[in-house]
Structure formats: C-alpha cells, structure tokens
C-alpha cells in the first residue's frame, strides 16, 4: 500500500524513539499545559489501536469522516488511523458557522462527524440549526471506548493505494461557495517529499529538524506541507494550538525549533512585537512560507531575528509549492523562486499560450511529463466543469498574475481571482456578497480587498442600501453581526463604505474593477471601521 499511514508506520517501526510531535507548554491551555512530546513509535501504537476501533465499527475504504479536532494530537492519530483503512478525512474549521458546516456536509457527504468531547454539545447544536440532525456524531473518547455507530454504507472492496482519497480540503472559489479539493495519498506524500527535499537554502537534515508550525490543520499548509514535510524528513512537528505572537519565541526556545513555517501575517506581526531575549536565543535557522513577499519586510525580519527566509507560492490544488530557495534570489523583488524538478511553470495569455519573459499574465503550473496532473489535486468534488476549466490548455490556471524573468524566476504581481487574502486565508468576495445581499436593508453589495499593514488585506464592502435605510456606524455594526451569524469571523467586512449606487457592467453585474480602483484612493477616514467587531467565537 502506498499511503500516508504506511509511510508513517515505516518510520514508527524503524525509528520508534524519534520525536514526531511536540506540543509547546502553555499553562492557560486545557490540554497538555506543561507541553508534551510524542515519538513515532508511541504515535504508531495509538494509530493502530484507533484503527482497530474504526474497523470494528465497519469503517473502511471509501468512507469520509468530517473532523473538528483543532491542532491537537488527536488529529494526527485519527487521521492516520482512518487513512490506514482507506477512509478520508474532511477537516472542519472551528470558526465555521452552522451554514458553512451544512454546506460541507452536503458537499462531502461524510459518514461521521468526529470531534473532541468539549465540542460535542456545540456541534450538535450547529447540526440541529443546519437541519442536519441525521448526521452521526462521535467524540474521540467514544471512538476509543468502542461506542461508534456503523457507517450507513459498507466499505469499498480492495486495498487503498496511491490514488485513494486521503482528505478533502475546501478552498475559496470566485463564484460563491468554496470548492472541495479531493486530495490523494500521492498528493500528500509527493508534497511532503518535495517540501523537505527542495534543497538549496531549504535543505533539511534527515531526523534532525524540528519544525514550528503557525498554521492550522484545516489548511493545506498544515495538513500537507508541514505535517508531510517533517514526516518525510523523519523530524519533529512542533504544533501549538494556534499562532500566538507573544509566545512564539519562548516556544521556539523551549521546543528547540530549527525551522519556522509562516504565513504573511506572521512576519509582520512578529516585527511589531517588543524585543524579547528569546528572539535571538532560538535555534531557528530557516523560515518557510508565503504571503510575506514584501522585500523590505523580509529583510527587516531576517536582520532582526537572524532567520533566512525562503518565500514560496502554492495552492491547495497544487500541493507542491515553488520556493525561492535557489539562486538567483532577487531579494529586492516580489520573487518566489523558479520552478524546479518535476514542476513546470509558465505565464499564460487569455488563450493559455505561454508569454515571453517580462510580460505579465496568469501563472500556470503543471507536472513535467506525460501526465500534467500527476501529484496535483484529483478533482473539485462534484464539480467536473470547474475541474476541466481549471486545467484548460493543459495547464492548471492559478488565478494569480505573475511575471517570469529571463532567468526563469517568478515574481508575483496580483490576483486575477476575486479573492481577499487575509492573514493567510483566501476569502471569496462572492461568498461575502451573497450574505450581505440577503440583509433586509441591502440593495446590493460589492466586496474587494483593502490593504492592511498586518493582515496583508482586509475585507472592504461597498454597500448600496434600499430606500428608507440610513447609513452609519450602527447599521455597519448590524451588517457585520449579520455576517458573523453566517460566516467564519475572518470573512466578515472589516471596512464598510456606504454608496448611493454601485458601478455596473453592461451585463448588469457590479464592476469589481472599478470598486478595486476606488478602494485604492480611499483613506480610513472615508470608511466605517468594523475590524474590532470581527471576533472569534470562544472555544468550548
């Protein structure tokens, strides 16, 4: 079997005492307050025990389990156990609201919703609110105790392998609802080997690296890059509950981290922290991530913290990323390196024809060889038309505008897609617009990105009201509250601009290009600031 679980168990058998997972200490946390470290062998034994429980209940090849397990050790154990049986995991973002959860369940059709005991009551309430009380729910404790109802269908025949689905991750599309990316065992393992074997200044020493991850497990960077990358390198994953800038350097020293994985907001946020002794006492030599492309920001970070950064580009659909790890680095440009190894990149025109160096166009990527989709996502779940459109012309169309230099280096220019990139999260403008448009006071809303010095971008909503409704801070707050009931907190507008009418195209759609141009000319004093209203719901 060519699976994530078989690869992991080979490590567990060959190097049982080696550290696999480290939880940094945190006295305020309700699990592992003193921190913990779990070896490959210990984790492997737990995986085998959990797999037996699922198998006894009838779970196996072809089943899906939607899981809300946060970044805890239970996530890794249950994922690997299910993978060993040929079952797929569908991670749930803890910030989801009932409507978002309902869509995931409808689209992915999992046989079970799995969660931690502390989340049980809240998830049951969300399922009831979403009208999905028919979906079975179990906690990790119930699985361990053998109190697990059988799935509604039997497993598929045969053993799982390279092309078997290992997970579904949802990525924001441009037309509203997120798309479910079906990801195979091959996708995950090729991504991990690619990440840890990229070479250049991104060189990993087998069995010696300890990678501190700032990303969640419902994100491709956590599920595929950091977990698979450190596993294939035989190293240790350091997984905090979430990114906390005030704790990161203390964590890094306490856990002996050697590599940091970041998203753009991490660099900017850490630079804003007051100096601390630990920021120069750590052993981190290398930072890997994306979204920190501002050359001045990268230089400031490297100088202050003594860490070499390898800026990358990637998507859930691609798995394997392009990193700026090989010379020439072009440190003064928004460069994310060159396509190396088996990945091929081109700058495409509107007909999917590669452009000459120096000309901006859409970044296209593919695998070099007979199968351009090898190692990429398998498909958009239940959406063959979108899958075919993404692969038109033999290239995967990324929706990002870039330029290729004469030496093959790639430089980011802009996003072609109607996406807001906030703190590493891709937010589909159409999804936010659809929620705002349902508010009784809104005639139509248009959402675009607004620059943010820390989060890269924030959600800006241009709102045209129905007659009889007066604009102002109170109504803006009401609109945000409306969104927070229906969307994860980060998707709600952080800025609102009330307008008398929207610019429209000839096909009677909001002219988003015009709104984006207007956003570039607006100052904060011309907008209603609602960023302070965007608060996470407290964890149970």
């Amino acid at each position: 079997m060519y699976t994530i679980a078989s690869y992991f168990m080979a490590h567990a058998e060959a190097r049982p005492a080696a550290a696999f997972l480290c939880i940094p200490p945190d006295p305020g946390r309700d699990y592992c307050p003193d921190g913990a470290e779990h070896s490959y062998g210990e984790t492997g034994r737990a995986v085998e025990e959990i797999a037996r429980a699922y198998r006894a209940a009838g779970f196996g090849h072809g089943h899906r389990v939607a899981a809300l397990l946060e970044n805890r050790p239970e996530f890794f154990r249950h994922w690997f156990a299910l993978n060993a049986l040929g079952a797929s995991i569908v991670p749930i973002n803890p910030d989801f609201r009932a409507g978002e959860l309902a869509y995931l369940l409808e689209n992915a059709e999992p046989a079970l919703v799995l969660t931690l005991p502390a989340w049980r009551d809240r998830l049951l309430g969300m399922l009831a609110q979403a009208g999905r009380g028919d979906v079975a729910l179990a906690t990790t404790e119930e699985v361990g105790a053998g109190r697990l109802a059988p799935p509604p269908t039997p497993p598929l025949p045969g053993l799982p392998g390279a092309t078997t689905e290992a997970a579904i991750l949802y990525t924001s599309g441009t037309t509203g609802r997120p798309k479910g990316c079906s990801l195979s065992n091959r996708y995950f393992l090729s991504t991990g080997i690619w990440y840890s074997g990229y070479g250049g200044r991104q060189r990993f020493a087998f069995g010696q690296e300890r990678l501190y991850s700032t990303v969640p497990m419902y994100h491709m960077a956590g599920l595929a890059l950091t977990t698979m990358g450190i596993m294939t390198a035989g190293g240790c994953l350091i997984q905090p509950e979430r990114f906390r800038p005030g704790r990161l350097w203390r964590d890094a020293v306490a856990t002996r981290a050697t590599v940091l994985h970041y998203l753009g907001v991490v660099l900017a946020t850490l630079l804003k922290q007051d100096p601390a002794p630990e920021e120069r006492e750590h052993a981190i030599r290398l930072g890997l991530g994306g979204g920190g492309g501002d050359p001045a920001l990268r230089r400031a970070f490297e100088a202050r913290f003594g860490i070499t950064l390898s800026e990358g580009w990637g998507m859930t659909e691609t798995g394997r990323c392009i990193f700026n790890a090989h010379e020439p680095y072009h440190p003064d440009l928004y460069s994310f390196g060159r396509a190396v190894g088996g990945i091929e990149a081109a700058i495409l025109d509107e007909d999917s024809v590669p452009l000459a160096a120096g000309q901006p166009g859409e970044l296209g990527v593919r695998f070099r060889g007979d199968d351009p989709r090898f190692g990429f996502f398998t498909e958009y779940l239940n959406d063959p038309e979108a899958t075919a459109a993404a692969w038109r012309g033999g290239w995967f169309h990324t929706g990002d505008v870039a330029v290729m230099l004469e030496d093959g280096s790639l430089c980011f220019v802009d996003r072609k897609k109607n996406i807001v990139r906030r703190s590493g999260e891709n937010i589909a403008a159409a999804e936010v617009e659809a929620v705002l448009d349902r508010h009784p006071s809104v005639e139509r809303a248009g959402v675009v990105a607004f620059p943010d010095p820390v989060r890269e971008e924030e959600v800006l909503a241009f709102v045209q009201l129905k007659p009889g409704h007066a604009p102002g801070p109170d109504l803006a707050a009401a609109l945000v509250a409306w969104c927070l009931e229906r969307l994860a907190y980060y998707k709600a507008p952080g800025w609102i601009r009330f307008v008398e009418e929207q610019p429209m195209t000839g096909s009677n759609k909001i002219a988003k290009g015009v709104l984006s141009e207007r956003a570039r000319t607006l100052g904060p004093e011309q907008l209603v600031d609602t960023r302070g209203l965007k608060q996470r719901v407290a964890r149970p």
Side-chain angles (χ1 to χ4, degrees):
M1 291 193 302
Y2 177 80
T3 65
I4 295 167
S6 65
Y7 199 108
F8 179 84
M9 293 307 294
H11 275 293
E13 292 172 7
R15 304 170 58 250
F20 165 64
L21 180 65
C22 176
I23 308 299
D26 185 350
R29 194 173 51 214
D30 62 355
Y31 70 97
C32 302
D34 299 324
E37 192 156 294
H38 304 282
S39 69
Y40 279 86
E42 174 194 354
T43 304
R45 289 188 294 274
V47 167
E48 289 179 328
E49 183 177 349
I50 294 168
R52 282 194 292 270
Y54 280 114
R55 184 183 291 111
F59 282 82
H61 193 185
H63 289 131
R64 293 183 184 134
V65 174
L68 198 166
L69 300 175
E70 300 180 345
N71 280 359
R72 303 195 185 195
E74 291 90 335
F75 188 102
F76 305 91
R77 296 167 187 164
H78 282 262
W79 183 27
F80 294 169
L82 288 163
N83 183 265
L85 304 180
S88 171
I89 195 168
V90 188
I92 299 174
N93 184 336
D95 292 314
F96 272 3
R97 301 305 197 265
E100 294 166 305
L101 178 60
Y103 170 72
L104 180 149
L105 297 176
E106 178 185 0
N107 189 250
E109 299 182 293
L112 175 72
V113 173
L114 174 70
T115 193
L116 302 161
W119 275 94
R120 185 179 187 278
D121 291 343
R122 182 178 293 182
L123 266 181
L124 284 172
M126 291 174 66
L127 289 172
Q129 184 181 347
R132 292 307 308 269
D134 59 309
V135 179
L137 183 142
T139 67
T140 51
E141 286 186 356
E142 290 168 335
V143 173
R147 301 196 304 273
L148 186 60
T153 58
L156 298 175
L159 295 174
T163 58
T164 300
E165 180 184 284
I168 294 174
L169 284 178
Y170 282 83
T171 181
S172 292
T174 59
T175 56
R177 291 293 199 178
K179 295 183 177 69
C181 291
S182 176
L183 311 174
S184 68
N185 284 302
R186 174 176 288 145
Y187 167 97
F188 280 102
L189 290 173
S190 63
T191 295
I193 294 169
W194 179 265
Y195 180 88
S196 61
Y198 207 83
R201 57 181 174 183
Q202 195 170 315
R203 194 175 304 279
F204 278 49
F206 184 85
Q208 299 179 35
E209 305 297 351
R210 296 175 63 88
L211 187 151
Y212 189 99
S213 173
T214 64
V215 289
M217 294 303 295
Y218 57 81
H219 194 285
M220 170 265 189
L223 199 67
L225 292 180
T226 60
T227 302
M228 294 295 107
I230 202 64
M231 182 186 81
T232 56
C236 180
L237 177 66
I238 302 166
Q239 188 66 71
E241 184 180 20
R242 64 171 65 97
F243 168 54
R244 288 193 170 122
R247 295 197 58 89
L248 187 143
W249 298 119
R250 278 181 289 166
D251 285 355
V253 172
T255 60
R256 310 185 312 282
T258 63
V259 180
L260 171 71
H261 190 98
Y262 66 88
L263 292 176
V265 65
V266 171
L267 304 188
T269 302
L270 290 174
L271 280 170
K272 290 178 178 293
Q273 299 295 302
D274 293 333
E278 294 89 349
E279 71 181 44
R280 299 295 299 199
E281 295 173 354
H282 63 82
I284 297 175
R285 73 180 194 287
L286 174 66
L288 306 174
D294 181 353
L297 184 147
R298 292 202 309 264
R299 286 195 298 269
F301 189 93
E302 290 179 327
R304 176 173 169 181
F305 302 119
I307 296 174
T308 298
L309 298 179
S310 182
E311 178 76 6
W313 170 93
M315 297 175 65
T316 301
E317 291 90 335
T318 67
R320 292 157 296 186
C321 299
I322 299 172
F323 285 99
N324 194 8
H326 298 275
E327 294 188 20
Y329 299 132
H330 300 292
D332 295 325
L333 301 176
Y334 283 77
S335 175
F336 53 90
R338 292 174 291 129
V340 298
I343 297 297
E344 186 178 5
I347 307 302
L348 307 175
D349 65 13
E350 292 298 325
D351 297 317
S352 302
V353 176
L355 293 165
Q359 297 187 45
E362 184 175 7
L363 175 64
V365 293
R366 65 187 180 189
F367 189 76
R368 194 185 306 272
D370 295 336
D371 182 4
R373 304 189 188 193
F374 186 86
F376 283 70
F377 79 118
T378 304
E379 63 179 348
Y380 290 124
L381 194 62
N382 305 322
D383 199 341
E385 293 82 7
T387 305
W391 279 105
R392 62 192 182 276
W395 294 90
F396 176 74
H397 288 249
T398 67
D400 286 335
V401 178
V403 168
M404 182 180 289
L405 306 183
E406 291 286 351
D407 61 19
S409 297
L410 296 159
C411 297
F412 182 78
V413 176
D414 201 354
R415 268 180 294 283
K416 187 176 181 180
K417 293 180 178 179
N418 192 13
I419 293 289
V420 179
R421 177 78 170 175
R422 182 190 187 273
S423 297
E425 295 284 358
N426 286 330
I427 303 166
E431 185 179 12
V432 184
E433 290 164 353
V435 171
L436 284 170
D437 285 346
R438 294 200 298 269
H439 192 277
S441 69
V442 174
E443 182 68 32
R444 55 172 65 96
V447 168
V448 296
F450 191 70
D452 188 285
V454 174
R455 296 176 178 85
E456 186 180 358
E457 293 176 346
E458 184 55 274
V459 180
L460 167 59
F462 288 83
V463 178
Q464 177 183 342
L465 298 174
K466 293 179 179 178
H469 294 273
D474 290 343
L475 182 52
L479 294 176
V480 172
W482 173 269
C483 290
L484 290 175
E485 292 177 0
R486 295 160 175 82
L487 297 171
Y489 80 98
Y490 56 85
K491 299 178 185 178
W495 299 95
I496 290 180
R497 169 77 169 177
F498 290 106
V499 296
E500 292 188 3
E501 62 180 2
Q502 300 281 15
M504 306 299 289
T505 67
S507 57
N508 202 34
K509 296 180 180 179
I510 294 178
K512 302 300 286 295
V514 175
L515 291 187
S516 294
E517 287 296 325
R518 290 179 181 176
R520 283 190 268 271
T521 68
L522 294 172
E525 70 282 353
Q526 298 169 283
L527 307 170
V528 181
D529 185 356
T530 57
R531 290 174 296 174
L533 302 175
K534 297 177 62 161
Q535 300 295 324
R536 271 192 174 103
V537 174
R539 300 287 195 265

